[in-house]
């Protein structure tokens, strides 16, 4: 049974198509990445999953059943736009949000205290939310998502605005939750951030699904034709015929090798050539293309513009 | 229902605990009480006690006028008589006027024959002193009439009897023995209702905008329906209003029953609130609040900031203002056709029907029908508002135009 299953889901806001014929499924216990540039329809997709909006056509199933508001008690949702009641005290706030998810006040308060300890913000418990730093508010919001121990955790751009320390803390927590059998779906436009943690991904671009499946499968479809080099001195080896294209970031070079029909190219000749030219090499690594490179290859270009313009996909 | 209760509870306690709630609860009755007391005191003093001079060659008339002005019912003036005037009298008087020793002088030029009235020239220190002017004009008429009647041979005591003002008995049979203060209390309650409905309606809209700005609603929408959210808000904010009005009414009843106000104003003043008046006040307050706050909720969902809300305010203010203007038809004749018609416009029903119940005798059928009509309207407005709310609350960025709002109504 899939935890989440979307079939041919479409949604338009007036003339603007937000989600176009989207289908994918999320198996239990997976870490699922919903990836795509800004304005590609990630938030619209998530909002339909939890019944904030309704798809124009297509079906959405949660926990193997058609959508029903009661299953929302098993879902934890962290919206992209974080929001808390500014004037409320942290603990009151967490208890209130816990109660809305069906907890009683005592359980909510107990769990909230435990989470505050785990995320190292016990000193914030009795403060008003508006007096907290932004990072702390994010942690509070994060706790409010998990308080009712949901089986499905949906986080829309959870890493945006987090400093590296807190981002790592969040990732570690998510990994722990996945280990304990929870299913996690998160969206992000920073593909480099999630490469190592996703089991499965769905890549959307301009409202359409362009790539889906397990991370390993997707990567194995692409040959190891990338070379990462740290190099100084003579750079004339970059004219070597096996190189299709390269980017030179003064000292760090990213090379794409010529490969035909998915055959892995041989990088040895390039390395030998560079040594022969007398370049000083401190790193030479042959890798798979990154998720971002795969994405660019699939869709051609990444439009970084945000075409939403006051639409619902904020 | 549990969620509605949670939202309402949060909204209620957050508002009740604010300093502004405390301040309003105390300040508004103080302001109103101050206004009433002030009004009562000023009322005692709207009689003229100016110092004037009367210049006339006719000493008899001048003396009569002096009597009338110095010992009249509403005037306690000091009147100097200059009779007959000297050559420099006008100059002296003008000088006294400039020195502010005199508030004005009246120059009477006798008529050349008995068929023509004498000419009266009133020179005041300040043209704005209409009270004195009115008093003099009134006194002159009395004096002239008396003089004419006496002249035609009528007995002096007969004339006095004739000139005595007629006392109007204004008690309304069976309803109230104190119709003036009944009118007054109905009027105060009308404004209280107007004020509270407006204030708390706006509060609903504001609290929605606040949640839109803080983006908390998206967290809430993940567990509860927009309708529940709206209902919780309307109930929570409305309960705060009801609490406030409750405190005010209780204080008013306590104060008047201990006749504290009566002692303070030194008059026989009390607020005669009947139980029926209070019951209808609560009923119509609730209905009016529900109607206007659901409009406000829709307005709040459509806008992104207080500034934008200000522009749409007229949808709340206009119907309420209409009620205010229509008071001039309703008060003189609360059971007339105009009043009846206006009281059946749902947006005016709570205020106007309440006013009619307080001051007139609308039939039970009319009262019942107006309440039913209101409930139907509220239902329709709530239905519309919840749809606008549902879509509008997720809308940030540009302000929606009318076709867009109409399209929202079609979204499920």
């Amino acid at each position: 049974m899939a935890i989440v299953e979307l079939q041919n889901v479409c949604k338009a806001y007036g003339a603007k198509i937000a989600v176009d014929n989207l289908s994918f499924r999320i198996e239990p216990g997976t870490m699922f990445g919903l990836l795509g540039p800004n304005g590609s329809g990630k938030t619209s997709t998530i909002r339909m999953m939890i019944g904030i909006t309704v798809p124009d056509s297509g079906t959405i199933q949660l926990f193997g059943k058609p959508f029903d508001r009661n299953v929302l008690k098993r879902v934890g949702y962290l919206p992209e736009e974080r929001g808390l009641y500014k004037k409320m005290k942290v603990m009151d706030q967490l208890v209130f949000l816990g109660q809305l998810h069906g907890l009683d006040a005592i359980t909510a308060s107990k769990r909230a205290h435990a989470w505050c300890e785990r995320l190292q913000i016990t000193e914030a418990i009795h403060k008003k939310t508006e007096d907290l730093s932004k990072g702390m508010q994010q942690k509070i919001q994060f706790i409010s998502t998990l308080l009712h121990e949901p089986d499905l955790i949906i986080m829309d751009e959870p890493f945006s605005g987090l400093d590296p320390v807190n981002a790592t803390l969040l990732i570690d927590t998510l990994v722990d939750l996945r280990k304990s059998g929870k299913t996690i779906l998160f969206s992000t436009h920073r593909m480099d951030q999630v490469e190592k943690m996703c089991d499965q991904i769905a890549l959307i671009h301009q409202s359409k699904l362009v790539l889906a499946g397990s991370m390993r499968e997707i990567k194995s479809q692409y040959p190891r034709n990338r070379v990462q080099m740290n190099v100084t001195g003579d750079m004339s080896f970059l004219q070597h015929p096996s190189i299709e294209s390269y980017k030179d970031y003064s000292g760090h070079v990213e090379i794409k090798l010529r490969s035909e029909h998915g055959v892995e190219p041989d990088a040895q000749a390039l390395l030998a050539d560079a040594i022969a030219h007398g370049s000083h090499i401190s790193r030479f690594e042959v890798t798979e293309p990154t998720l971002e490179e795969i994405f660019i290859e699939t869709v051609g270009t990444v439009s970084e513009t945000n075409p939403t313009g006051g639409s619902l996909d904020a | 229902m549990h969620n509605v209760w949670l939202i309402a509870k949060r909204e209620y306690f957050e508002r009740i605990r604010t300093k502004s709630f405390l301040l309003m609860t105390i300040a508004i009755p103080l302001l109103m009480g101050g206004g009433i007391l002030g009004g009562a005191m000023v009322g005692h003093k709207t009689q003229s006690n100016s110092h004037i001079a009367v210049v006339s060659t006719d000493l008899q008339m001048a003396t009569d006028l002096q009597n009338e002005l110095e010992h009249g019912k509403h005037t306690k003036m000091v009147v100097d008589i200059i009779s007959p005037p000297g050559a420099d009298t006008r100059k002296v008087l003008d000088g006294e006027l400039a020195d502010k020793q005199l508030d004005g002088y009246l120059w009477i030029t006798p008529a050349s024959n008995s068929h023509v009235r004498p000419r009266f020239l009133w020179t005041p220190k300040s043209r704005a002193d209409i009270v004195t002017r009115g008093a003099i004009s009134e006194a002159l008429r009395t004096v002239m009439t008396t003089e004419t009647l006496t002249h035609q041979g009528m007995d002096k005591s007969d004339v006095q009897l004739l000139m005595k003002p007629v006392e109007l008995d204004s008690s309304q049979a069976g309803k109230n023995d104190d119709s003036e203060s009944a009118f007054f209390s109905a009027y105060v309650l009308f404004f209280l209702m107007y004020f509270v409905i407006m204030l708390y309606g706006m509060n609903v809209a504001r609290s929605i905008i606040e949640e839109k700005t803080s983006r908390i609603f998206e967290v809430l929408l993940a567990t509860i329906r927009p309708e529940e959210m709206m209902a919780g808000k309307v109930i929570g904010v409305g309960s705060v209003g009801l609490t406030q009005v409750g405190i005010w009414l209780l204080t008013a009843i306590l104060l008047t029953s201990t006749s504290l106000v009566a002692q303070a104003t030194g008059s026989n003043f009390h607020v005669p609130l009947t139980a029926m008046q209070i019951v209808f006040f609560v009923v119509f307050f609730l209905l009016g609040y529900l109607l206007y706050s659901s409009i406000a909720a829709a307005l709040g969902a459509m806008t992104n900031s207080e500034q934008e809300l200000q522009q749409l305010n007229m949808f709340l203010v206009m119907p309420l203002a209409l009620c205010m203007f229509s008071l001039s038809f309703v008060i003189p004749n609360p059971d007339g056709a105009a009043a009846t018609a206006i009281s059946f416009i749902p947006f005016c029903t709570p205020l106007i029907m309440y006013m009619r119940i307080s001051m007139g005798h609308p039939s039970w059928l009319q009262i019942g029908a107006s309440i039913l009509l209101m409930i139907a309207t509220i239902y329709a407005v709530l239905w519309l508002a919840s749809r606008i709310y549902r879509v509008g609350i997720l809308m940030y960025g540009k302000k929606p135009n009318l076709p867009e709002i109409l399209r929202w109504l079609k979204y499920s």
Side-chain angles (χ1 to χ4, degrees):
Chain A
M1 177 199 77
I3 298 287
V4 180
E5 186 166 7
L6 275 75
Q7 273 179 346
N8 309 104
V9 170
C10 294
K11 177 81 184 174
Y13 297 111
K16 186 186 172 289
I17 292 163
V19 177
D20 190 2
N21 204 22
L22 188 64
S23 305
F24 62 78
R25 34 192 290 142
I26 302 174
E27 301 299 330
T30 49
M31 182 88 87
F32 189 95
L34 185 61
L35 313 178
N38 291 333
S40 56
K42 301 186 295 292
T43 301
S44 300
T45 308
I46 289 176
R47 283 187 179 161
M48 283 187 282
M49 276 184 214
I50 52 174
I52 293 181
T53 52
V54 182
D56 296 339
S57 64
T59 56
I60 294 176
Q61 295 205 324
L62 290 187
F63 302 99
K65 279 176 240 147
F67 181 80
D68 167 18
R69 293 201 75 86
N70 284 327
V71 306
L72 288 178
K73 296 227 158 80
R74 296 174 66 189
V75 179
Y77 171 55
L78 178 77
E80 178 181 8
E81 299 286 348
R82 316 294 153 72
L84 293 166
Y85 288 110
K86 293 194 191 82
K87 306 265 177 216
M88 253 181 134
K89 287 192 175 150
V90 168
M91 191 44 68
D92 294 343
Q93 184 132 241
L94 286 173
V95 169
F96 170 68
L97 291 170
Q99 282 179 307
L100 279 184
H101 283 93
L103 295 181
D104 62 273
I106 295 160
T107 319
S109 156
K110 255 188 218 156
R111 287 188 192 168
H113 275 101
W115 271 108
C116 285
E117 253 166 59
R118 186 164 166 184
L119 295 183
Q120 302 146 19
I121 45 165
T122 40
E123 77 272 19
I125 286 178
H126 298 293
K127 286 187 184 162
K128 271 189 185 173
T129 310
E130 60 184 352
D131 298 335
L132 300 180
S133 72
K134 209 171 171 225
M136 278 194 175
Q137 291 191 23
Q138 297 230 30
K139 285 185 182 175
I140 306 288
Q141 188 108 52
F142 188 59
I143 293 172
S144 75
T145 314
L146 302 171
L147 218 49
H148 55 296
E149 300 185 342
D151 296 315
L152 171 64
I153 298 157
I154 298 177
M155 297 196 165
D156 198 358
E157 301 277 1
F159 308 109
S160 70
L162 281 183
D163 65 46
V165 178
N166 282 324
T168 312
L169 189 63
L170 174 54
I171 290 172
D172 290 349
T173 315
L174 286 179
V175 169
D176 282 350
L177 285 166
R178 199 245 328 245
K179 268 187 207 149
S180 67
K182 313 282 187 196
T183 308
I184 297 155
L185 162 76
F186 62 87
S187 80
T188 179
H189 64 283
R190 294 283 309 273
M191 298 173 206
D192 52 325
Q193 251 176 350
V194 298
E195 277 212 66
K196 42 190 183 295
M197 49 187 294
C198 287
D199 306 312
Q200 290 210 316
I201 57 161
L203 243 168
I204 48 178
H205 177 60
Q206 291 178 352
S207 321
K208 287 194 176 70
L209 186 70
V210 289
L211 208 57
S214 85
M215 201 69 182
R216 208 159 296 145
E217 272 170 39
I218 289 172
K219 285 250 175 167
S220 67
Q221 287 166 14
Y222 291 84
R224 292 160 64 87
N225 63 349
R226 298 299 201 277
V227 177
Q228 309 272 336
M229 281 178 86
N230 288 358
V231 58
T232 52
D234 188 6
M235 304 295 268
S236 56
F237 68 91
L238 288 172
Q239 307 307 319
H240 193 272
S242 67
I243 295 177
E244 186 182 310
S245 62
Y246 67 91
K247 279 176 193 153
D248 186 355
Y249 300 100
S250 61
H252 176 80
V253 186
E254 288 177 11
I255 297 166
K256 187 182 174 193
L257 297 173
R258 257 178 240 287
S259 62
E260 275 159 36
H261 311 301
V263 181
E264 287 206 358
D266 185 12
Q268 298 304 316
L270 178 65
L271 181 58
D273 189 49
I275 293 168
H277 276 86
S279 309
H280 180 78
I281 299 161
S282 56
R283 178 180 172 217
F284 187 91
E285 189 183 2
V286 182
T287 61
E288 302 161 323
T290 61
L291 203 52
E292 204 166 342
E293 284 164 335
I294 292 174
F295 174 73
I296 293 169
E297 224 161 82
T298 320
V299 303
T301 55
V302 179
S303 79
E304 270 302 322
T305 52
N306 188 349
T308 50
S311 78
L312 287 126
D313 191 293
Chain B
M1 261 334 273
H2 180 65
N3 289 334
V4 175
W5 163 241
L6 279 173
I7 298 270
K9 198 174 82 177
R10 199 203 74 81
E11 206 69 48
Y12 181 80
F13 282 111
E14 189 175 276
R15 267 152 215 287
I16 284 269
R17 283 183 196 138
T18 55
K19 285 192 194 81
S20 62
F21 175 79
L22 197 69
L23 202 71
M24 284 262 297
T25 312
I26 296 170
I28 297 292
L30 279 184
L31 276 175
M32 275 187 152
I36 293 166
L37 281 182
M41 279 169 183
V42 170
H44 282 295
K45 279 183 186 157
T46 46
Q47 48 174 281
S48 178
N49 44 12
S50 312
H51 178 201
I52 65 161
V54 174
V55 186
S56 173
T57 42
D58 185 347
L59 186 62
Q60 177 60 40
M61 182 187 241
T63 318
D64 283 350
L65 190 61
Q66 182 188 36
N67 259 332
E68 192 64 34
L69 284 174
E70 286 188 339
H71 309 292
K73 208 179 175 194
H74 299 295
T75 53
K76 293 277 177 288
M77 292 195 203
V78 179
V79 180
D80 300 338
I81 297 173
I82 302 172
S83 179
D88 62 341
T89 305
R90 195 178 286 270
K91 212 173 188 183
V92 171
L93 287 173
D94 280 338
E96 282 180 7
L97 217 58
D99 293 346
K100 298 182 178 171
Q101 292 171 8
L102 217 54
D103 291 307
Y105 61 87
L106 181 73
W107 197 287
I108 306 174
T109 316
S112 47
N113 61 61
S114 58
H115 295 292
V116 182
R117 279 189 165 190
R119 279 184 56 224
F120 303 99
L121 189 71
W122 166 238
T123 313
K125 185 181 71 186
S126 152
R127 274 183 196 286
D129 191 358
I130 51 167
V131 179
T132 307
R133 187 196 166 92
I136 291 171
S137 161
E138 182 91 353
L140 272 175
R141 206 165 56 229
T142 314
V143 170
M144 298 269 301
T145 317
T146 316
E147 215 158 77
T148 314
L149 288 173
T150 325
H151 215 71
Q152 290 183 351
M154 207 183 222
D155 196 40
K156 190 134 196 169
S157 60
D158 283 348
V159 174
Q160 263 174 10
L161 198 68
L162 194 70
M163 297 303 287
K164 223 174 127 187
V166 178
E167 295 283 340
L168 261 184
D169 189 1
S170 59
S171 74
Q172 203 180 344
K175 177 123 179 171
N176 239 313
D177 57 347
D178 198 350
S179 64
E180 205 170 312
S181 44
F183 165 73
F184 187 74
S185 64
Y187 209 60
V188 167
L189 283 185
F190 175 89
F191 275 100
L192 198 64
M193 200 190 272
Y194 173 88
F195 176 74
V196 173
I197 285 176
M198 180 106 119
L199 184 74
Y200 283 91
M202 287 307 290
N203 272 350
V204 170
R206 231 176 260 132
S207 104
I208 286 167
I209 288 175
E210 196 186 306
E211 290 194 356
K212 261 183 110 161
T213 342
S214 77
R215 302 291 164 86
I216 181 80
F217 65 89
E218 207 174 334
V219 183
L220 303 183
L221 281 185
T223 46
I224 60 173
R225 292 166 187 280
E227 293 85 353
E228 292 176 321
M229 207 163 136
M230 197 174 106
K233 267 196 182 301
V234 168
I235 294 172
V237 176
S239 313
V240 178
L242 211 57
T243 308
Q244 201 158 49
V245 175
I247 294 173
W248 291 342
L249 277 182
L250 261 178
T251 320
I253 291 166
L254 281 179
L255 275 179
T256 50
S257 64
T258 52
S259 67
L260 228 124
V261 175
Q263 276 179 9
T265 53
S267 67
N268 180 23
F269 178 86
H270 66 106
V271 181
L273 281 177
T274 59
M276 193 179 80
Q277 251 181 320
I278 293 177
V279 167
F280 276 119
F281 179 81
V282 173
V283 167
F284 281 107
F285 170 77
L286 283 180
L287 289 173
Y289 168 76
L290 261 178
L291 182 66
Y292 280 95
S293 63
S294 38
I295 298 174
L299 292 183
M302 275 192 261
T303 47
N304 294 301
S305 64
E306 294 242 0
Q307 285 89 333
E308 282 182 40
L309 182 67
Q310 299 291 336
Q311 295 169 7
L312 293 176
N313 248 351
M314 57 170 186
F315 288 106
L316 279 186
V317 178
M318 293 262 278
L320 284 173
L322 181 71
C323 296
M324 291 283 283
F325 292 133
S326 67
L327 274 187
S328 54
F329 306 108
V330 176
I331 289 178
N333 190 3
D335 293 322
T340 310
I342 292 168
S343 70
F344 275 94
I345 301 172
F347 296 97
C348 297
T349 300
L351 287 168
I352 300 301
M353 192 51 113
Y354 173 71
M355 205 66 185
R356 288 187 58 205
I357 291 171
S358 304
M359 303 189 54
H361 302 88
S363 69
W364 285 104
L365 187 72
Q366 280 190 8
I367 297 175
S370 76
I371 290 177
L372 279 181
L373 191 66
M374 269 218 80
I375 289 172
T377 313
I378 289 170
Y379 186 81
V381 169
L382 270 178
W383 183 85
L384 279 174
S386 70
R387 295 205 145 204
I388 290 177
Y389 189 86
R390 202 187 166 100
V391 187
I393 199 159
L394 285 170
M395 188 95 182
Y396 339 110
K398 72 176 165 64
K399 215 164 80 179
N401 51 27
L402 192 64
E404 268 175 312
I405 292 170
L406 290 177
R407 208 166 52 233
W408 292 358
L409 298 179
K410 283 187 256 165
Y411 286 147
S412 52

